[in-house]
Amino acid sequence: MWKEHLVAKLKQHLGKGGVTPEHAHYLAQIRLGKLAVWATQLTLLIALILFWEVGANMRLIDPFITSQPSSIYHTFLRMAKDSSIFLHTGITVLETTLSFIIGTIAGSLIAVFLWWSDFFSRVLDPYIVILNSTPKIALGPLFIVFLGDGMKSIITMALTISIIVTIVMVYTGFREVDPNKIKLIRTFGANKLQILQKVVLPASVPTMMAALKVNVGMSFVGVIVGEFLVARAGLGYLIVYGQQVFQLHLAMTSVVVLIITAAVLYQLVACLENRFLRWKE
Amino acid sequence: MAFIPKVQIEKVNIKYQTLDGETNALEDISLSIREGEFVSIVGPSGCGKSTLLSLISGLLKPTSGQVLIDGKPPQGSSQKLGYMLQQDYLFEWRTVYKNIMLGLEIQGKNKHSVKNKVHNLLKQYGLWSFRHYYPHQLSGGMRQRVALIRTLAVDPEILLLDEPFAALDYQTRLTLEDEVATILKRANKTVILVTHDISEAVAMSDRVIVISKRPGRVKADFKIEYAAGRLAPFETRKAPEFRNYFNCIWKELDIHVEGTPSG
Ligand SMILES: Nc1ncnc2c1ncn2[C@@H]1O[C@H](COP(=O)(O)OP(=O)(O)O)[C@@H](O)[C@H]1O
Ligand SMILES: [Mg+2]
């Protein structure tokens, strides 16, 4: 009796906002589907954590090598108490943000320059192609020689990765703008600056947003690799340090924090995208 | 005072150059169009109709010959001209209202007085309540109206319309033809309309020019007159002269696929 009541209650809740019973049913169906996906995702995560924890306790896996959730949790608490984890995370986020912002702005400006000058874009094309396909990480040791083993090298490392990606993606976006839209605005007598402002830039906003999303990830990779090589602070440094002194709890905790930080940064950029692409709704 | 045509085209040739070779698009075109005249251009597809409009607009320079607007070569992009391209090319990131303001923004004319005029146009074409919509929320007919208002907003003296009704369904087309012809006539605009629909050309215009297959030349030039005087397109379709003009132009066009009699 109470069970039927509960199901009815749930159905009513899921179908909220329906303008007719059929519409409510349709809405409930869609929301139920979403709920199922979400619930499964959560279950999967919990199962993974449980398996890890129980498996480690039962020595199915060796917690000395793989650590285990409870240890990670305690390590995190300890590091939160003396704020060290926030300090390291803060440094990594700072480095990532800096290289992300500089890479995005400089890369976009260079893309504008390439769009503006057909001649130079053709001259520079092979250089960009080669730079784009070079694994920039290989340049890391050189940066240390050029710039010393500090934050400068780390940011430069991340910047080389993010700037090239930005140039390539944004410039390609510019090139793909419908030439008829440009013709249209020229019928009103638009000059080149106006074509850039009124057509090319706004039409490329979706590509630029996609570039931003790729860019956060790229900057992050650059920063972490940089920290592996030279740092005395940051999440990358913690991971390497934990590995070197065989404190896998520390390394794992840092990896978990790293994953969460990456997700947050990505979501921030995705929010930005939603704000700019409201006309697509 | 000597009579100066609004638009004068003198012995114009246009060749498109590409790496593969050249296309002779227009050959030895001479035309003169009076102020306030409504001229339609018909011809088989690929004969250079769009090219002719681009030429008049000044976006395209002739290979030889010259174009005069009010007796003078057009300087850069003339603000006297409004050019409506073959598709609406509305900017999907701008609302209807912002799309319409585009030309005014470019020409630095988005002053207060102009806004009133735009508001009137929006009301006149039944788009007022849609002004905050985005293009993807509009029907084909509405999009075309927006494109038309965007062109009219800058208050051009000469309008170049490239198959503006081609993509619309029959009913919408007839309605829009009526609206547009009436409004433009009342405002005494000079209009050059490209169409592949003979009945549309005969119904709307004072004059119909037939262009031959490529390379495009002026093949025939009909003056359209009705005994009952200038009527709205919907009425002219019923006038006794209509069928006669239609048949003459049909013969001149001398093609088998384009333009089925529909009026
Ligand atoms: N930018 C261009 N480059 C080369 N050829 C072109 C170009 N634009 C048009 N043409 C050619 O010129 C001819 C006339 O084109 P167009 O004026 O668009 O014809 P219509 O509008 O009458 O269909 C066509 O054969 C077309 O292929
Ligand atoms: Mg055409």
Side-chain angles (χ1 to χ4, degrees):
Chain A
M1 189 64 200
W2 63 270
K3 218 171 161 184
E4 274 162 34
H5 182 70
L6 200 71
V7 169
K9 205 61 186 194
L10 184 69
K11 262 196 173 156
Q12 192 190 2
H13 188 72
L14 283 173
K16 211 159 52 185
V19 286
T20 62
E22 286 82 5
H23 186 225
H25 181 75
Y26 168 78
L27 287 178
Q29 216 68 34
I30 286 185
R31 285 170 188 160
L32 200 64
K34 271 190 194 162
L35 200 65
V37 169
W38 189 77
T40 314
Q41 286 171 337
L42 194 65
T43 315
L44 209 62
L45 182 65
I46 292 171
L48 196 74
I49 292 172
L50 270 182
F51 174 75
W52 190 359
E53 179 71 22
V54 174
N57 284 341
M58 292 170 62
R59 291 294 181 271
L60 292 174
I61 44 179
D62 183 359
F64 183 67
I65 296 176
T66 63
S67 186
Q68 68 187 92
S70 57
S71 310
I72 290 175
Y73 178 65
H74 290 302
T75 311
F76 179 80
L77 281 190
R78 190 169 45 72
M79 294 183 79
K81 203 169 272 171
D82 64 7
S83 301
S84 58
I85 190 73
F86 302 125
L87 182 77
H88 289 290
T89 310
I91 285 179
T92 300
V93 169
L94 175 74
E95 288 164 346
T96 307
T97 313
L98 274 178
S99 54
F100 169 70
I101 292 176
I102 300 173
T104 303
I105 294 177
S108 304
L109 286 178
I110 294 172
V112 167
F113 168 74
L114 292 180
W115 174 82
W116 196 279
S117 163
D118 186 52
F119 178 73
F120 278 107
S121 76
R122 277 170 25 208
V123 170
L124 294 177
D125 184 64
Y127 294 94
I128 292 173
V129 169
I130 288 171
L131 274 179
N132 191 32
S133 49
T134 307
K136 267 74 68 184
I137 288 169
L139 305 179
L142 297 181
F143 290 142
I144 297 168
V145 175
F146 299 155
L147 299 165
D149 56 349
M151 212 188 242
K152 246 196 259 169
S153 288
I154 298 174
I155 292 180
T156 309
M157 170 91 260
L159 200 56
T160 23
I161 300 182
S162 71
I163 205 169
I164 302 283
V165 172
T166 311
I167 295 173
V168 171
M169 284 187 76
V170 174
Y171 179 59
T172 311
F174 286 175
R175 298 273 312 250
E176 278 164 7
V177 172
D178 186 351
N180 285 308
K181 289 210 169 93
I182 294 173
K183 182 175 180 188
L184 173 94
I185 197 165
R186 285 187 54 214
T187 66
F188 292 115
N191 56 34
K192 197 149 189 177
L193 185 63
Q194 286 173 320
I195 293 175
L196 181 70
Q197 278 178 337
K198 308 274 180 191
V199 189
V200 174
L201 287 179
S204 309
V205 166
T207 340
M208 296 216 268
M209 289 298 147
L212 287 190
K213 283 206 249 173
V214 173
N215 224 342
V216 206
M218 290 294 175
S219 302
F220 220 160
V221 170
V223 164
I224 295 297
V225 170
E227 288 179 350
F228 281 175
L229 291 177
V230 295
R232 287 180 210 94
L235 291 173
Y237 160 77
L238 278 189
I239 295 169
V240 169
Y241 176 78
Q243 172 247 337
Q244 281 169 350
V245 301
F246 243 76
Q247 278 200 32
L248 273 303
H249 298 319
L250 176 63
M252 276 295 186
T253 308
S254 313
V255 169
V256 171
V257 173
L258 181 70
I259 291 172
I260 295 170
T261 312
V264 169
L265 285 181
Y266 184 85
Q267 278 307 316
L268 283 179
V269 176
C271 285
L272 202 70
E273 178 176 27
N274 285 341
R275 278 194 56 129
F276 274 102
L277 292 182
R278 244 173 304 177
W279 52 266
K280 271 201 161 172
E281 284 302 305
Chain B
M1 200 178 83
F3 168 71
I4 300 174
K6 195 71 185 168
V7 178
Q8 174 113 25
I9 302 172
E10 287 171 353
K11 296 199 170 64
V12 161
N13 286 287
I14 291 190
K15 288 178 183 154
Y16 283 114
Q17 305 293 347
T18 59
L19 288 179
D20 299 332
E22 60 177 30
T23 308
N24 214 348
L26 293 176
E27 199 170 83
D28 195 25
I29 300 264
S30 293
L31 276 178
S32 89
I33 292 165
R34 277 187 296 108
E35 177 160 17
E37 205 169 15
F38 196 125
V39 180
S40 282
I41 308 223
V42 295
S45 75
C47 73
K49 303 183 293 295
S50 297
T51 302
L52 184 60
L53 290 192
S54 291
L55 170 81
I56 298 169
S57 77
L59 288 180
L60 189 68
K61 297 275 166 279
T63 312
S64 66
Q66 65 171 348
V67 177
L68 301 173
I69 308 287
D70 284 327
K72 281 170 281 181
Q75 291 114 357
S77 60
S78 170
Q79 300 202 352
K80 287 178 184 171
L81 284 149
Y83 186 1
M84 198 170 152
L85 303 179
Q86 205 161 347
Q87 283 171 46
D88 57 55
Y89 300 118
L90 297 180
F91 291 179
E92 60 269 30
W93 57 87
R94 285 178 171 238
T95 59
V96 165
Y97 185 74
K98 295 282 276 175
N99 261 293
I100 289 170
M101 295 301 287
L102 183 69
L104 295 165
E105 271 173 39
I106 298 293
Q107 300 180 358
K109 289 193 224 162
N110 45 345
K111 310 271 156 45
H112 193 73
S113 57
V114 181
K115 279 181 185 157
N116 270 337
K117 222 195 91 202
V118 170
H119 291 182
N120 285 337
L121 282 168
L122 276 166
K123 286 172 188 159
Q124 203 172 358
Y125 281 92
L127 282 168
W128 179 249
S129 49
F130 295 96
R131 65 193 182 284
H132 299 308
Y133 280 45
Y134 285 99
H136 71 99
Q137 297 169 302
L138 305 180
S139 69
M142 280 152 88
R143 292 180 66 110
Q144 214 56 26
R145 281 195 179 91
V146 175
L148 182 69
I149 302 177
R150 180 180 58 193
T151 314
L152 290 177
V154 294
D155 204 13
E157 294 167 23
I158 304 163
L159 274 147
L160 310 173
L161 309 177
D162 197 346
E163 307 201 25
F165 312 118
L168 305 177
D169 62 80
Y170 190 60
Q171 266 80 342
T172 315
R173 189 185 325 170
L174 288 190
T175 322
L176 262 185
E177 277 175 16
D178 241 38
E179 276 175 28
V180 170
T182 315
I183 288 168
L184 296 182
K185 213 56 213 178
R186 202 186 301 142
N188 195 35
K189 304 279 187 198
T190 307
V191 184
I192 304 171
L193 169 84
V194 163
T195 175
H196 60 249
D197 182 342
I198 305 174
S199 61
E200 180 174 289
V202 177
M204 292 182 81
S205 338
D206 305 316
R207 192 172 153 199
V208 177
I209 291 165
V210 181
I211 308 276
S212 69
K213 279 206 291 281
R214 209 180 64 216
R217 298 158 165 275
V218 176
K219 195 171 179 203
D221 190 339
F222 292 95
K223 198 152 180 56
I224 311 287
E225 278 166 324
Y226 295 96
R230 187 69 239 173
L231 304 165
F234 202 74
E235 301 300 323
T236 54
R237 285 172 190 273
K238 296 179 215 151
E241 299 95 330
F242 182 86
R243 193 127 287 274
N244 198 9
Y245 285 126
F246 185 100
N247 290 334
C248 290
I249 295 167
W250 176 254
K251 273 192 208 114
E252 282 298 336
L253 265 172
D254 185 31
I255 33 161
H256 322 285
V257 268
E258 281 204 339
T260 42
S262 53

